[in-house]
């Protein structure tokens, strides 16, 4: 799966650098039309994570991921076949849905394969992802020096082919065990005991022995469920008692998980700050040389590649992840202060402050990634991991749509705006720490339970 991630991100690096130029110089769209195209497709793409997570709890994960990759390839090729804005809106919306869905499905795959080591696996996966994006971006930057229509088309074809390659590589991966379908095979007992066991597990039968076993099993399972499920899930189970129907576990009724996801959307703002806020602030409000802007992005990428795996230890367990929220709050507050300070002083001072801010936001990015990977899974019941991670994926999707607005609003307020943003993010960390205060309880990180057929 790491190879899948690398190939996928190489293609993304090719496309992200090229797409806007292609729409401008080859398709002939104006600035407003490009904004409409990207804005509408981005908004539609928000539905990708919850839809993918919901489906992933009901069907095998590997073929679903292959299907999504194939759909992304078709959409990428389709972009090259039309210059009509309406068709481009449809195609780009499909591509956006696929991109967001793929991200959630990859995370779910890692969760099921890596088990307790999921945070470290995700750290390695993110390192590989950044490396792939850097390779794709460098190739695109070198190719775009020619600036011809053929080059633009070739780079986008490379993006489409990367999805084809990712789908083929995914076919070679093993299907991870799913908590909703995992069945442990055991030796079948012989003689009358086999019939009793089969009747107890599979069907309603007559006889006091069977009824007693069923009653004991129901009481035991209910007690375990009440002991291990988060508050939102307990409420769902209680509401379903007496109906004779199994309770449907859904994140949309889990108020704590929804609030947690809302705080996550704010903490993912580092992405917009690094990609949009820093370059614009450097150019419009500081005396630092403009050549520093791309170097700040290089610094961010290099630090993530070098340090994300070591940072995984801060989210190794739910308890460690919760404790790490306070250091994260301090780093975000300091990052905002550094950006505010960069508007004052000589070029050398502004340069130093911007480097410090970029480093601090990158540290916050890596620290939050480790915390988020652990808590988003630990707070989800095993039988609905896909649905819960799909809802959690909304945090990044919403941030990508609203983050630029929040960052530009902070910029408009000047240095005080950055101080205010840093303070707001620090307060969000403290609120999230209170929200997941029982995250160190064994109930939130129990291993999936498999049920034997015999």
């Amino acid at each position: 799966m790491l190879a899948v991630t690398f190939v996928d991100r190489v293609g993304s690096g090719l496309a992200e650098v090229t797409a806007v130029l292609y729409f401008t110089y080859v398709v002939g769209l104006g600035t407003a039309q490009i904004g409409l195209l990207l804005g509408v497709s981005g908004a539609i793409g928000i539905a990708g994570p919850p839809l993918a997570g919901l489906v992933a709890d009901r069907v095998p994960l590997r073929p679903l991921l292959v299907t999504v990759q194939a759909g992304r390839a078709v959409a990428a090729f389709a972009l090259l076949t039309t210059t009509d804005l309406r068709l481009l809106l449809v195609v780009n919306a499909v591509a956006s849905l696929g991109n967001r869905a793929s991200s959630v499905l990859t995370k779910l795959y890692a969760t099921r394969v890596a088990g307790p080591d999921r945070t470290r696996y995700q750290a390695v996966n993110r390192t590989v992802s950044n490396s792939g994006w850097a390779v794709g971006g460098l190739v695109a930057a070198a190719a775009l020096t020619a600036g011809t229509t053929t080059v633009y088309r070739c780079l986008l074809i490379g993006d489409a082919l990367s999805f084809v390659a990712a789908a083929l590589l995914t076919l070679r991966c093993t299907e991870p065990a799913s908590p909703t379908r995992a069945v442990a095979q055991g030796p079948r007992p012989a003689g009358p005991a086999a019939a009793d066991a089969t009747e107890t597990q599979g069907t309603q039968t007559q006889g006091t022995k069977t009824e007693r076993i069923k009653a004991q099993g129901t009481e035991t399972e209910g007690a375990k469920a009440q002991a291990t499920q988060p508050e939102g899930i307990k409420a769902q189970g209680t509401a379903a008692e007496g109906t004779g129907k199994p309770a449907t576990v859904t994140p949309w009724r889990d108020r704590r998980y929804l609030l947690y996801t809302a705080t996550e959307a704010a903490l993912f703002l580092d992405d917009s700050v690094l990609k949009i806020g820093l370059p614009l602030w450097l150019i419009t409000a500081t005396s630092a040389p403009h050549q520093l802007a791309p170097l700040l992005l290089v610094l961010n990428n290099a630090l993530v590649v070098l340090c994300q795996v070591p940072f995984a230890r801060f989210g190794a367990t739910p308890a460690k992840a919760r404790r790490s929220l306070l250091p994260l709050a301090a780093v975000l507050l300091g990052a905002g202060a550094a950006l505010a300070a960069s508007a004052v002083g000589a070029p050398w001072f502004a340069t130093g402050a911007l480097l410090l801010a970029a480093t601090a936001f990158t540290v916050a990015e890596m620290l939050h990634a480790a915390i988020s990977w652990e808590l988003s899974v630990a707070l989800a019941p095993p039988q609905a991991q896909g649905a819960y991670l799909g809802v959690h994926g909304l945090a990044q999707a919403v941030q990508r749509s609203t983050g630029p607005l929040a960052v530009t609003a902070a910029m408009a307020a000047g240095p005080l705006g950055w101080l205010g943003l840093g303070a707001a993010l620090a307060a969000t960390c403290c609120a999230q720490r209170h929200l997941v205060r029982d995250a160190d309880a064994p109930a939130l990180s129990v291993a999936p339970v498999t049920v034997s057929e015999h």
Side-chain angles (χ1 to χ4, degrees):
M1 188 53 68
L2 294 178
V4 173
T5 297
F6 182 80
V7 170
D8 187 333
R9 293 302 291 165
V10 168
S12 297
L14 294 175
E16 288 179 20
V17 176
T18 309
V20 173
L21 296 175
Y22 174 80
F23 292 138
T24 301
Y25 296 113
V26 178
V27 179
L29 299 181
T31 302
Q33 290 175 312
I34 294 175
L36 176 65
L37 175 64
L38 298 180
V40 170
S41 61
I44 293 175
I46 291 176
L51 286 175
L54 188 66
V55 175
D57 283 331
R58 291 162 170 76
V59 302
L61 183 55
R62 186 185 65 164
L64 176 60
L65 191 50
V66 170
T67 302
V68 170
Q69 295 286 18
R72 296 171 74 194
V74 171
F77 279 120
L79 282 177
L80 299 168
T81 64
T82 181
T83 58
D84 183 86
L85 179 59
R86 291 169 295 181
L87 291 177
L88 287 172
L89 280 169
V90 174
V91 172
N92 217 47
V94 172
S96 182
L97 280 170
N99 292 340
R100 305 285 174 83
S102 174
S103 177
V104 168
L105 295 176
T106 301
K107 179 179 179 180
L108 182 59
Y109 187 97
T111 299
R112 291 179 178 177
V113 169
D117 294 327
R118 56 181 175 262
T119 301
R120 181 173 177 82
Y121 182 97
Q122 286 281 24
V124 174
N125 187 74
R126 190 160 189 260
T127 300
V128 171
S129 174
N130 277 54
S131 300
W133 192 94
V135 170
L138 289 173
V139 171
L144 287 173
T145 56
T148 65
T149 298
T150 301
V151 168
Y152 294 141
R153 290 184 179 278
C154 287
L155 289 173
L156 291 181
I157 288 173
D159 178 40
L161 291 176
S162 74
F163 300 141
V164 174
L168 294 175
L169 288 171
T170 303
L171 286 173
R172 301 183 61 184
C173 298
T174 58
E175 173 68 28
S178 168
T180 58
R181 293 186 306 276
V183 178
Q185 296 290 342
R188 182 184 296 273
D196 288 341
T198 302
E199 290 174 355
T200 302
Q201 294 177 16
T203 60
Q204 292 184 343
T205 58
Q206 298 178 351
T208 56
K209 180 179 179 180
T210 301
E211 292 173 353
R212 184 170 61 254
I213 293 174
K214 286 182 178 179
Q216 292 172 354
T218 302
E219 292 173 358
T220 303
E221 290 174 0
K224 288 182 179 179
Q226 292 295 323
T228 61
Q229 291 175 341
E231 293 177 1
I233 309 304
K234 287 180 182 179
Q236 295 173 34
T238 303
E241 287 178 0
T243 63
K245 298 179 181 180
T248 300
V249 179
T250 169
W252 300 107
R253 296 178 183 175
D254 189 340
R255 286 175 293 179
R256 179 172 68 161
Y257 201 86
L258 293 176
L259 287 173
Y260 167 72
T261 300
T263 61
E264 286 285 271
L267 294 182
F268 277 121
L269 272 176
D270 58 76
D271 181 67
S272 291
V273 172
L274 287 164
K275 292 180 179 178
I276 299 172
L278 269 173
L280 287 178
W281 181 254
L282 183 153
I283 293 171
T284 61
T286 77
S287 57
H290 292 184
Q291 295 87 341
L292 182 64
L295 296 180
L296 294 178
L297 294 178
V298 171
L299 173 65
N300 167 257
N301 196 71
L303 287 175
V304 171
V305 170
L306 292 174
C307 302
Q308 185 65 78
V309 173
F311 267 71
R313 69 179 184 272
F314 294 105
T317 65
K320 288 183 178 180
R322 180 176 181 269
R323 288 196 297 267
S324 298
L325 283 167
L326 288 182
L328 175 59
V331 172
L332 287 168
L333 187 61
L339 267 183
S342 66
V344 183
W348 66 267
F349 182 84
T351 299
L354 287 168
L355 288 170
L356 179 60
T359 301
F361 273 113
T362 302
V363 170
E365 176 187 359
M366 295 185 292
L367 191 56
H368 175 241
I371 295 169
S372 178
W373 292 331
E374 179 60 24
L375 292 180
S376 62
V377 176
L379 293 171
Q383 68 270 30
Q385 278 181 347
Y388 271 69
L389 292 182
V391 167
H392 182 263
L394 285 173
Q396 280 185 304
V398 169
Q399 187 281 139
R400 286 170 184 159
S401 298
T402 62
L405 297 176
V407 168
T408 52
M411 288 177 56
L416 288 178
W418 288 121
L419 284 174
L421 181 64
L425 293 177
T428 302
C429 289
C430 295
Q432 188 178 105
R433 187 173 185 270
H434 177 74
L435 191 64
V436 299
R437 58 191 176 275
D438 57 349
D440 55 347
L444 296 176
S445 57
V446 292
V449 178
T450 57
V451 180
S452 176
E453 286 185 339
H454 307 299

